[in-house]
Amino acid sequence: MCNIISQAIGVPPEVVASIVAIQAAVIAYLHTILSKEEEEEEFENLFLLIAGQKMITHIPKTENYFELIIPRFSLSDFKSHFRMSRTTFEELSLMIGPDLITEQSNVPVMKKLAIAIWIFGNQEVHRSVADRFGVSKSTSWQCMIDVATLLCRRSRTFIKWPTGQAIVENQLEFQEIAQFPGVIEAIDGCQIQISAPHENADSYMNRKGYYSINTQAICDHRMRFIDVYAGCCGSVNDARVWSLSDIKQEIIRDNARYFPDETHILGDKIYPLLFNLLTPYKDCGRLTRIQRNFNLVHARTRQTIERVFALLLSRFRRLKYLYLQNIEYASMIILACCCLHNICLSLNDLFDEGVAVDNNAAADDINNVPEAVHENVDNNDQELENIGFGGQMKREIIANVLYRREQHN
């Protein structure tokens, strides 16, 4: 092919081969960083350049938007755009700003952070963000990746399991919700919608018919993430994600550290029933009053994790739909937003705009799960089940306690 082109245009074959190689490298790079709309424009410019024609003229970028316009935002406008208060943004810059300084980038740290937070908080395409902040699209993308990478590297600082007095406080706070004893956390999965991956797309198609990353999270009573696992494709159900998660393996190695004094977490019916992971009774139409009461109290207590996911997606709207050419970046962006969620809460930066919990979500999850995975205990789960006197007996005891308490009230 290179020889044919060489003869046609009168250029040595080795020069043609070099040009073809450069084109392939540029196209591969564009695939990793740009949206479909942006790709089409860049490819058109590339082919025009190769043909010796003038490239498409871009709309002039906004000048000094970060330097002059953003500082004039009111407090409410700032929070509306960046999804966090100005104070939180400044505190965040002090936390991670020094580690964002690199020799490869000439973008000021505060501006780099502003670009990344803007991208996380909005569904704007990178071309639009780049024009707004007066940088190139590749620079806009790199700012987001730099911030996300740093947050993920330090995620254990922002997302960590409670210890000592914090566990006691969690029990008391969860018990105040509906009198369910011994609860220190709640667990659930959330399908983060993504664009169709280039490879193995079918494995990312979830049961609801869209491509996604299944993100498992565990939260405390203050709606903070204490563990996040965002490494599974959408076709993997919550029970399997739990089986694959790092936190499960850590619990097996040191159960007493994670669940002192026979405490437990609450999960919906897809999870296995274990001594430290209590699930509701399966409703086949024959539940007793004691069992129905247990399920009601269980659902009221576990709803905290539903609110956490609703708050996360409301604050960081990028997670409502992730358009990525390289799927490997999805888990990084999800975990980074979870870190930012915790940072905001630690600074009392509350956010409830548009937060709505789907009360039918739990029922929907139960009704669409194959019967085979309900309360399924694999080999590793059996190790957890052997601790204490078993999850089934523990659930029966708590169900009877809750029912007697309900009768006295």
Side-chain angles (χ1 to χ4, degrees):
M1 178 63 71
C2 291
N3 289 332
I4 295 175
I5 297 175
S6 173
Q7 294 174 4
I9 63 177
V11 177
E14 57 271 17
V15 174
V16 175
S18 297
I19 293 174
V20 171
I22 293 172
Q23 291 178 32
V26 171
I27 291 173
Y29 174 70
L30 292 173
H31 266 303
T32 65
I33 67 170
L34 300 176
S35 69
K36 183 177 180 181
E37 179 184 1
E38 294 167 336
E39 272 185 21
E40 292 174 351
E41 182 179 321
E42 290 298 330
F43 289 160
E44 186 174 353
N45 282 333
L46 177 63
F47 295 138
L48 288 174
L49 182 62
I50 294 171
Q53 299 180 26
K54 185 178 179 181
M55 294 174 58
I56 297 172
T57 301
H58 289 279
I59 298 174
K61 300 182 185 299
T62 304
E63 293 188 6
N64 298 320
Y65 183 79
F66 173 77
E67 293 79 5
L68 299 180
I69 306 300
I70 291 179
R72 299 171 60 184
F73 279 178
S74 66
L75 296 180
S76 60
D77 285 342
F78 187 95
K79 189 164 187 174
S80 176
H81 287 296
F82 287 94
R83 323 302 284 174
M84 63 176 60
S85 69
R86 192 187 297 274
T87 301
T88 298
F89 180 84
E90 292 170 353
E91 289 289 336
L92 181 62
S93 68
L94 295 176
M95 288 182 194
I96 68 175
D99 293 329
L100 287 174
I101 301 174
T102 61
E103 295 181 358
Q104 294 77 17
S105 175
N106 59 359
V107 180
V109 168
M110 293 287 281
K111 186 172 184 177
K112 179 183 291 189
L113 184 59
I115 292 172
I117 301 301
W118 189 286
I119 292 173
F120 293 146
N122 298 279
Q123 280 288 335
E124 216 170 347
V125 297
H126 283 279
R127 183 182 66 247
S128 177
V129 176
D131 287 344
R132 181 184 301 277
F133 284 89
V135 297
S136 66
K137 290 186 289 293
S138 59
T139 298
S140 165
W141 170 265
Q142 194 59 51
C143 288
M144 182 194 69
I145 292 301
D146 287 348
V147 172
T149 301
L150 178 57
L151 287 169
C152 291
R153 191 186 311 140
R154 296 177 55 181
S155 61
R156 289 187 176 273
T157 302
F158 307 120
I159 302 175
K160 53 188 177 183
W161 199 273
T163 58
Q165 184 60 29
I167 290 182
V168 176
E169 292 175 0
N170 282 351
Q171 288 186 68
L172 295 175
E173 294 291 341
F174 271 115
Q175 190 161 345
E176 283 190 8
I177 297 174
Q179 299 304 306
F180 200 114
V183 180
I184 58 174
E185 292 107 18
I187 184 173
D188 201 4
C190 179
Q191 298 284 359
I192 304 296
Q193 188 172 1
I194 61 172
S195 54
H198 292 299
E199 298 181 1
N200 304 316
D202 289 346
S203 63
Y204 289 90
M205 178 69 72
N206 63 35
R207 60 180 174 76
K208 295 184 178 180
Y210 59 87
Y211 300 102
S212 64
I213 296 290
N214 194 350
T215 300
Q216 174 184 284
I218 306 175
C219 76
D220 64 12
H221 70 282
R222 296 182 181 176
M223 297 196 294
R224 296 172 301 191
F225 292 111
I226 63 169
D227 185 79
V228 175
Y229 181 67
C232 289
C233 49
S235 62
V236 180
N237 65 52
D238 292 354
R240 181 59 178 161
V241 176
W242 158 256
S243 180
L244 296 172
S245 64
D246 296 333
I247 190 62
K248 178 187 170 182
Q249 307 309 319
E250 293 178 16
I251 290 171
I252 292 174
R253 286 193 295 268
D254 192 359
N255 185 82
R257 170 178 175 262
Y258 289 93
F259 298 106
D261 302 322
E262 299 184 349
T263 51
H264 39 260
I265 60 178
L266 300 184
D268 62 26
K269 204 160 191 177
I270 193 172
Y271 291 99
L273 173 62
L274 305 172
F275 184 74
N276 297 125
L277 173 52
L278 299 184
T279 61
Y281 291 95
K282 290 188 294 185
D283 189 357
C284 300
R286 292 174 294 181
L287 292 184
T288 66
R289 285 180 293 178
I290 293 176
Q291 292 171 336
R292 287 198 298 269
N293 180 70
F294 176 90
N295 283 2
L296 178 60
V297 176
H298 183 286
R300 288 176 178 172
T301 308
R302 196 188 67 85
Q303 194 182 53
T304 302
I305 185 63
E306 305 285 353
R307 289 188 56 78
V308 171
F309 280 129
L311 178 61
L312 177 71
L313 270 64
S314 178
R315 189 191 289 266
F316 300 110
R317 292 176 291 190
R318 178 69 53 175
L319 298 185
K320 292 185 176 181
Y321 182 80
L322 279 174
Y323 189 99
L324 296 168
Q325 293 293 334
N326 190 341
I327 195 64
E328 294 179 2
Y329 290 119
S331 297
M332 178 193 301
I333 294 172
I334 294 169
L335 181 57
C337 289
C338 290
C339 290
L340 290 171
H341 168 93
N342 277 11
I343 291 171
C344 289
L345 291 186
S346 69
L347 297 173
N348 295 316
D349 187 350
L350 305 180
F351 190 91
D352 58 5
E353 178 184 325
V355 175
V357 178
D358 183 1
N359 293 321
N360 297 319
D364 180 64
D365 287 340
I366 293 172
N367 294 333
N368 286 280
V369 173
E371 188 69 20
V373 303
H374 285 314
E375 300 186 2
N376 180 46
V377 180
D378 64 21
N379 292 335
N380 287 333
D381 287 332
Q382 191 63 53
E383 294 184 40
L384 295 177
E385 183 65 356
N386 291 335
I387 298 169
F389 46 81
Q392 188 168 353
M393 185 178 294
K394 186 178 186 180
R395 183 171 68 177
E396 289 290 333
I397 293 172
I398 293 176
N400 280 280
V401 170
L402 291 173
Y403 185 72
R404 288 198 300 269
R405 186 175 294 164
E406 178 68 19
Q407 292 300 103
H408 287 305
N409 292 338

